[in-house]
Amino acid sequence: MISQPKNNMVIILKNLSLTAIVIGLVAVLVFLIQGWTVDQEGKPVQSGLVQFATNLTGSTVKINGSELSEKTGTKTLLSPGEYKFQLSREGYENWGRTAKVKAGGILWLNYARLVPKQKKLDSFFDLQNLRTVKFAKSQKRGIAISEATNGDVKFWLFELGNTPKITELALPEKIFGSVNPETPEHNPLNGISSQLAIDSLSENADKMILRRNGSAKTEWIFVDTNNTSNSLNLTEKFGTDFTQIVARDKSFSRFYVLANNELRELNVNEATISANLVDNIVGIKNYNENVLALVQHQQEKFAVGIYEQGKNIAWVAQNLVSQPQVAIGRYYGDNYIHVVSGEQFISYKGKDWFGANQPKKHLAQKLDFNVSDVSLNSEMRMVKLSNDSQTTILDLETDEFVEIKTNNLRWLDNFILYNFENGKITMRDFNGLNKYELMSVSADFSITLSEDEKFIYTWTQEPSGNFKLIRLKMVL
C-alpha cells in the first residue's frame, strides 16, 4: 500500500510534468507565431510575413517561379532575403515585383491592380467643344463644361453607373455678369468657357467652386447643382478679391478663404464672412473642418504652422527662404506636416497637433528638382512630390523615397498612379513599377475608377470632333 506522502509526491510530479508540457507547447506556439523556424543546420531563423492581395480574388501567386497552392488573398512566411514575386490571372497582364523580406517584418503586396489584356471600351454622350471635366471623390458623378456652337458656355452633371446619365445645369446668368458689363442685351454666358475652371467639387458633385479668370480680375463662384438658384458670385457678393477658397466640411457650406493675405471664414448658407483670423497668410491646406496648415509670410521669409480657432498657432517650420508647398494628414496614429521649400523636403511628425507632442522634424530629403505640388493619397500614407517633369513618392510605412522620371502623375487609388503620356492614359504602381497603357485619348481630362472598381472613366474627342465619356472595363 502506497503511503500518503508518496501519493502526494506522485500527484505533484504529474502536475509539474503537465505544467512543463503546457509551457513548452505555448513556447513553441509563440515561436511559430513570431515566424521562427529551424534551418537545415538546426539554427533558429525568424521568418518574414508576406501578404498578397489583388483587385481580383483568386489570382495565382508565384515566388521565384514556384506557385503557391493558395490564391489571393493569402499570406506566407519566408526566410529573410530577396525574392521575385508574380501575381497573375488568365486574361490579365502579369504583375511582378522584386522585394526583400525582413526577419520579423511584414511585406505588404496587397495593392496589385491587374489590367485586362484585351481592352473593352464603351462610349456615352455627345458633347461639343468640351473645355474641362472634374470627377467627384464619390466616384459616382462629375461636372463637365463645354461650349455650344454659338459660344455659350454649357454646364453638365453626369452620373456614372451601368447606364451613365447626363443633365444640363441651368446656372443663373447673373452670377457671370460682372466681368463683362456690356450692353443690356449682352449674354454673360457667351464667350467665357475658356475662362472657367472647376477649382473644387464636393464629394458627390452637388456643390462646386468655379474660378473665372477674367481680363480684369479673378472671380470665385459658388454653385449648388441640386438647386442652381442658390448659386452665388462670391467675389461680387462680398466685394473681396479671393486668392484661395478651401471647403471646411463635406457640406460645402463653410469655407476657409484667403483675401488680401488674410485668413477668414466664409459661410455660404448665411452669406457671411468673418473678420481677419490671421494676417500675412499666403497658402492653406486643411486636414479637417477645424485643423489646417497655413503658410505665413514673415519679414521676407516664410513659416509653416498648424491652425485651429481658439488655439495659438503651432509653428513647425520657420525662416524658409522660398514660399513652401505643404500637405497635412494623419497616418497610423501619427499627425504629419510635409513641407517643401525649393529642393528641400522635411516631414514633421507628432501624436498631437498642439502642445508638447506637436509634429517635430521626422525626416529630411534633398531633392534634385524644385517641387511645384505636394499631395497625399486618400489614406494619407503616400506623399507625392512633383513638378512638370518628375515625381518622388515617400511611403510613410517604410520612410523610403522612390523617384519616377515622369510628369503629371496623379492618384487613381491609394497605390496606383496614372498620367497622360503621348496620347495614351498609362497607370503604374506608386514605386513606378508595373506600367500599363490603358487607352488612347485625345487630351488629358483626368480619369476616375468606379466605386465598385470594375471600370475606369475618362473623356475623349471622337473623329467627328465631338466628345464622349469613355468607359474601360477593368474586370472581365
Side-chain angles (χ1 to χ4, degrees):
M1 186 174 181
I2 301 175
S3 66
Q4 187 66 34
K6 189 173 183 180
N7 190 34
N8 290 340
M9 181 61 67
V10 170
I11 294 172
I12 291 171
L13 289 173
K14 286 182 178 180
N15 289 337
L16 289 173
S17 298
L18 289 172
T19 301
I21 291 171
V22 170
I23 292 173
L25 289 173
V26 170
V28 170
L29 285 173
V30 172
F31 186 83
L32 293 174
I33 288 171
Q34 292 185 346
W36 289 92
T37 58
V38 179
D39 64 15
Q40 294 179 348
E41 299 178 358
K43 297 179 180 179
V45 177
Q46 189 176 20
S47 302
L49 179 66
V50 186
Q51 296 271 8
F52 301 98
T54 64
N55 59 313
L56 303 168
T57 57
S59 299
T60 299
V61 180
K62 288 185 179 181
I63 303 174
N64 289 342
S66 299
E67 185 175 321
L68 290 186
S69 58
E70 296 182 344
K71 308 291 186 181
T72 58
T74 187
K75 58 188 175 183
T76 190
L77 289 170
L78 294 174
S79 299
E82 188 171 270
Y83 295 86
K84 185 177 181 179
F85 301 98
Q86 185 185 84
L87 301 174
S88 62
R89 184 160 171 167
E90 186 177 355
Y92 294 83
E93 304 284 356
N94 291 339
W95 180 96
R97 180 184 172 184
T98 298
K100 290 183 179 180
V101 175
K102 297 179 181 179
I106 302 177
L107 176 61
W108 295 95
L109 300 180
N110 61 339
Y111 54 85
R113 185 167 294 282
L114 302 186
V115 175
K117 292 180 179 179
Q118 299 296 322
K119 309 298 191 294
K120 185 180 184 305
L121 295 170
D122 295 307
S123 61
F124 309 89
F125 316 141
D126 197 31
L127 298 184
Q128 297 176 331
N129 303 317
L130 185 63
R131 297 300 189 187
T132 188
V133 170
K134 197 173 188 70
F135 293 96
K137 289 183 179 179
S138 67
Q139 302 168 307
K140 297 178 182 179
R141 307 169 90 193
I143 299 292
I145 300 177
S146 67
E147 183 177 282
T149 53
N150 66 355
D152 285 358
V153 64
K154 298 286 186 180
F155 299 91
W156 308 90
L157 172 67
F158 57 89
E159 300 182 35
L160 310 176
N162 292 332
T163 306
K165 302 176 182 178
I166 192 166
T167 305
E168 184 176 357
L169 299 172
L171 301 190
E173 292 183 2
K174 63 181 181 180
I175 64 175
F176 301 102
S178 63
V179 173
N180 291 317
E182 303 283 341
T183 63
E185 294 78 21
H186 174 73
N187 180 2
L189 298 177
N190 191 265
I192 67 169
S193 62
S194 62
Q195 301 174 359
L196 295 172
I198 304 170
D199 188 75
S200 59
L201 194 60
S202 66
E203 190 164 340
N204 203 33
D206 52 357
K207 307 280 191 346
M208 67 175 164
I209 297 293
L210 292 176
R211 189 177 69 251
R212 180 182 179 185
N213 299 311
S215 58
K217 61 179 177 179
T218 298
E219 289 193 313
W220 298 76
I221 299 165
F222 167 81
V223 176
D224 183 339
T225 63
N226 290 331
N227 186 352
T228 57
S229 63
N230 290 333
S231 302
L232 186 65
N233 186 314
L234 301 175
T235 302
E236 188 176 74
K237 172 66 178 178
F238 296 104
T240 302
D241 292 330
F242 299 106
T243 54
Q244 191 175 355
I245 297 181
V246 176
R248 279 196 64 175
D249 51 34
K250 292 182 179 180
S251 71
F252 253 56
S253 60
R254 296 185 301 157
F255 299 85
Y256 279 119
V257 300
L258 291 186
N260 301 316
N261 291 343
E262 295 177 346
L263 176 66
R264 300 187 179 198
E265 185 180 354
L266 187 150
N267 190 311
V268 171
N269 291 343
E270 298 176 1
T272 58
I273 188 169
S274 74
N276 177 27
L277 301 174
V278 188
D279 280 320
N280 300 320
I281 303 302
V282 293
I284 54 176
K285 286 281 186 75
N286 63 324
Y287 166 65
N288 58 25
E289 62 181 279
N290 295 316
V291 176
L292 72 157
L294 47 78
V295 178
Q296 188 178 59
H297 196 190
Q298 297 179 342
Q299 297 179 349
E300 299 187 4
K301 292 190 177 181
F302 298 89
V304 177
I306 305 166
Y307 172 82
E308 183 176 353
Q309 286 193 33
K311 296 183 179 180
N312 293 327
I313 297 172
W315 297 107
V316 295
Q318 293 181 290
N319 297 317
L320 302 174
V321 175
S322 60
Q323 183 172 335
Q325 300 290 327
V326 300
I328 181 171
R330 181 176 176 83
Y331 177 69
Y332 215 72
D334 290 307
N335 299 324
Y336 289 89
I337 295 277
H338 309 289
V339 180
V340 185
S341 181
E343 297 181 349
Q344 183 64 50
F345 169 81
I346 301 179
S347 181
Y348 299 83
K349 175 182 175 181
K351 291 296 182 182
D352 301 319
W353 292 118
F354 301 90
N357 295 318
Q358 74 176 52
K360 297 178 177 62
K361 186 175 180 179
H362 171 59
L363 59 85
Q365 180 83 356
K366 180 69 182 303
L367 305 171
D368 60 358
F369 64 98
N370 286 311
V371 174
S372 59
D373 180 65
V374 183
S375 66
L376 307 176
N377 66 346
S378 59
E379 72 171 0
M380 303 182 183
R381 166 180 164 176
M382 303 287 179
V383 186
K384 181 171 71 71
L385 313 164
S386 59
N387 65 8
D388 291 337
S389 61
Q390 64 188 95
T391 299
T392 292
I393 303 293
L394 166 63
D395 183 355
L396 295 178
E397 184 71 27
T398 61
D399 283 345
E400 294 177 348
F401 292 84
V402 177
E403 292 186 9
I404 307 174
K405 299 292 185 180
T406 304
N407 67 330
N408 203 24
L409 287 169
R410 286 149 287 172
W411 295 109
L412 179 63
D413 65 18
N414 274 317
F415 296 94
I416 306 298
L417 295 158
Y418 77 91
N419 75 326
F420 176 71
E421 189 175 289
N422 300 321
K424 297 180 183 294
I425 295 291
T426 64
M427 62 170 258
R428 71 200 75 199
D429 297 345
F430 68 94
N431 51 20
L433 302 177
N434 298 296
K435 177 183 174 182
Y436 307 103
E437 290 184 355
L438 298 180
M439 65 187 104
S440 297
V441 292
S442 61
D444 186 0
F445 283 113
S446 77
I447 71 176
T448 192
L449 188 66
S450 64
E451 187 182 27
D452 59 10
E453 301 189 359
K454 293 181 179 180
F455 303 100
I456 285 178
Y457 291 90
T458 189
W459 288 78
T460 192
Q461 188 173 24
E462 297 287 289
S464 65
N466 288 349
F467 293 80
K468 291 183 177 293
L469 176 72
I470 302 298
R471 182 171 71 186
L472 171 64
K473 191 172 185 179
M474 293 293 289
V475 178
L476 302 177

